[in-house]
Amino acid sequence: MTTDTSRLPVPLLATLVIFTAFAGQFWRNLLGWWGFGIIAGVVIVLSAVALMMLRPSLGWREVPKSALAFVGLSTLSLAWSFYPGASAIGVGIQLLSSVAAVFLGLCLSLQQLLKALSNAFRWILALSLVFEAWVAVVVGGPVLPFFVHYEGRIPQAFYWSRGLLLDGGPIEGIVANRNLLGFIALLALIVFALQLADRTVRRGWGVAWLVVAGAVLLLTRSATVVLAGALVAVVLAFVLWTRSRDPDRRRTVYAAAAGLVVVVTAGIMTLGGALLGVLGKSGDLTGRADIWAAVTGLAQQRPVFGWGWVGYWIPWVPPFDDLAVRKGVVYLQAHNAWLDVRFQLGILGLVLFAALVVSTVWRSWFLAVDRPRHGLDPVEPFSAHTLLPILLLAALIAQSLAESRILIEGGWLCLIAISLMTKSRGIHAPITVAASVDPRLQQSVPRG
């Protein structure tokens, strides 16, 4: 029996997946945890159904082994976890999130991923500005999430929005966090600029959305996003420089990159305090130094395999219930993904996570700087969309030094999707659909 899936809304589903992954807090604040659970469950089920119906081809050689090993270790940590119940929740969330990431990585082309990211980010930015305008003009004061009740003095971090749009920010948007909103705006700038460069959107429309993303980024006043943007700009400059040179004449580029790393590292070590002052940060990095010290102390107690995977910390489970408390707020991450992995999965987990990131960066770099070839001859000119993986990774890696979001939700989604997409063969070719599926899909759904 032939299954007609010619009307399968893959692009729409991809947009919903990305929106939910990056704006999960919007659903939680609007509908509560049960409402968010229903939305997330529907997204995961639809992603799984799409994978089963499209059945994209994937050989063993095309599977990113480092990603498989890291997820495998996370799952195995249930055996030695200090908090097995919390680990079961964390592993379950990681596996379910990975289903959505696999859908993006195998059922979309790079161009389709770019378009889906663009659509999702437009919705997040637009809704954030409308929401902040409503809070500032109509409500005229801070707004708490729906379905919550707090007693006594309420910390600023608990508010959905503080209604500061008319004061020039900082704004939190629908995601309820200025650093996350600023990071989404940075990713949106990357995506919108690549679309303009590829001429896949009208120039006026593309420029308008660039302005919107830039305005949102400025209104968040996020210093961490400024640093991430600087790294993205540096990576872009080196990619374009490398593109301009033949493969056998790139040693100068790589030597310059190595020298820049040395200079920047030395500058941070000697001028770190002054740099923090310029960015408006305190010497303890807004409490991060204390969190890092506490997490490092626990990591040293279980150095090889860690305390057990949990992903985003669960606040009612020791030691997370009082591990990182600042101004009445219990923070639920180590504010450094690498330290978080070391704490949860030990040195072994840190090695596997580094292998996942480094291997994905390696493939993304050569995707960005080398023209596609057939044999020894290039078959097509450079395209702007091939810059997407390396620029997204640059932003994610920069964020990972101050946030642990690359391990959860939108960060994890992008990392796994890019890892799959860059590892799979035929990244520009149409997907190979099983014979039982309508052949018209072969013309509309590219392979990751």
Side-chain angles (χ1 to χ4, degrees):
M1 179 177 179
T2 300
T3 303
D4 183 5
T5 59
S6 60
R7 291 186 175 87
L8 190 67
V10 171
L12 179 61
L13 176 57
T15 299
L16 179 61
V17 167
I18 294 167
F19 180 92
T20 301
F22 279 95
Q25 195 61 39
F26 165 69
W27 296 120
R28 291 189 286 270
N29 284 358
L30 183 67
L31 304 174
W33 277 95
W34 285 107
F36 166 72
I38 293 172
I39 296 290
V42 168
V43 167
I44 298 300
V45 169
L46 290 176
S47 298
V49 168
L51 281 168
M52 289 187 291
M53 296 181 72
L54 295 173
R55 282 186 271 180
S57 61
L58 183 69
W60 175 246
R61 293 181 61 186
E62 299 167 314
V63 175
K65 311 302 188 299
S66 54
L68 198 62
F70 182 75
V71 173
L73 181 65
S74 301
T75 305
L76 287 176
S77 72
L78 288 168
W80 63 81
S81 174
F82 180 79
Y83 30 74
S87 286
I89 295 173
V91 168
I93 292 173
Q94 184 187 55
L95 293 175
L96 291 174
S97 300
S98 298
V99 171
V102 170
F103 159 68
L104 293 182
L106 294 184
C107 296
L108 300 182
S109 70
L110 203 51
Q111 297 95 320
Q112 283 185 316
L113 177 61
L114 183 66
K115 185 177 176 66
L117 287 167
S118 173
N119 291 337
F121 292 157
R122 284 186 181 123
W123 275 106
I124 294 174
L125 297 180
L127 288 175
S128 292
L129 288 176
V130 170
F131 172 66
E132 290 288 351
W134 175 74
V135 174
V137 176
V138 179
V139 179
V143 171
L144 287 168
F146 300 160
F147 303 103
V148 297
H149 175 71
Y150 299 114
E151 296 181 353
R153 182 178 177 276
I154 302 175
Q156 290 186 353
F158 287 5
Y159 286 102
W160 190 347
S161 169
R162 289 180 288 164
L164 299 177
L165 176 64
L166 300 182
D167 297 326
I171 64 172
E172 294 81 16
I174 62 170
V175 298
N177 184 292
R178 68 189 183 111
N179 289 325
L180 177 55
L181 181 61
F183 187 71
I184 291 171
L186 172 62
L187 298 186
L189 283 172
I190 295 170
V191 168
F192 299 158
L194 293 181
Q195 286 187 311
L196 274 173
D198 262 347
R199 299 181 180 179
T200 56
V201 294
R202 294 179 180 177
R203 183 173 180 81
W205 181 252
V207 171
W209 278 107
L210 274 177
V211 172
V212 170
V216 171
L217 194 155
L218 292 175
L219 285 168
T220 61
R221 298 186 183 181
S222 174
T224 56
V225 173
V226 170
L227 294 176
L231 179 60
V232 170
V234 170
V235 170
L236 176 60
F238 274 97
V239 167
L240 296 179
W241 186 10
T242 307
R243 277 187 171 191
S244 69
R245 303 178 75 91
D246 293 331
D248 58 350
R249 297 177 59 245
R250 293 175 175 173
R251 292 182 180 178
T252 303
V253 180
Y254 296 138
L260 181 61
V261 170
V262 172
V263 170
V264 170
T265 302
I268 291 175
M269 294 178 63
T270 57
L271 303 174
L275 178 61
L276 291 175
V278 171
L279 295 173
K281 289 288 185 180
S282 59
D284 67 346
L285 292 166
T286 320
R288 284 178 171 84
D290 293 336
I291 296 174
W292 294 342
V295 174
T296 299
L298 289 178
Q300 291 172 345
Q301 296 179 26
R302 292 187 168 199
V304 180
F305 296 104
W307 289 66
W309 181 255
V310 70
Y312 209 59
W313 299 354
I314 297 179
W316 62 84
V317 175
F320 307 118
D321 53 351
D322 62 355
L323 181 56
V325 181
R326 180 179 171 83
K327 296 182 179 180
V329 179
V330 178
Y331 286 89
L332 303 178
Q333 56 163 313
H335 282 284
N336 183 292
W338 306 87
L339 180 56
D340 230 334
V341 170
R342 182 192 170 196
F343 163 56
Q344 296 182 40
L345 295 179
I347 295 174
L348 179 58
L350 186 59
V351 169
L352 293 179
F353 181 67
L356 168 59
V357 173
V358 170
S359 62
T360 306
V361 167
W362 179 269
R363 295 191 299 270
S364 299
W365 173 265
F366 288 105
L367 173 66
V369 302
D370 288 340
R371 291 168 60 187
R373 293 175 177 269
H374 180 70
L376 298 177
D377 300 320
V379 295
E380 61 181 77
F382 285 121
S383 299
H385 64 262
T386 58
L387 297 173
L388 179 66
I390 191 63
L391 296 183
L392 289 184
L393 287 172
L396 287 168
I397 291 170
Q399 185 196 43
S400 73
L401 301 177
E403 304 277 346
S404 299
R405 294 189 179 274
I406 195 174
L407 304 176
I408 59 170
E409 297 189 325
W412 180 252
L413 187 84
C414 285
L415 178 61
I416 297 303
I418 293 171
S419 182
L420 267 171
M421 193 169 281
T422 55
K423 182 72 171 179
S424 300
R425 293 176 299 183
I427 190 170
H428 304 287
I431 191 171
T432 301
V433 183
S436 61
V437 179
D438 194 313
R440 284 174 290 179
L441 272 177
Q442 297 181 13
Q443 303 300 321
S444 60
V445 185
R447 177 174 60 187

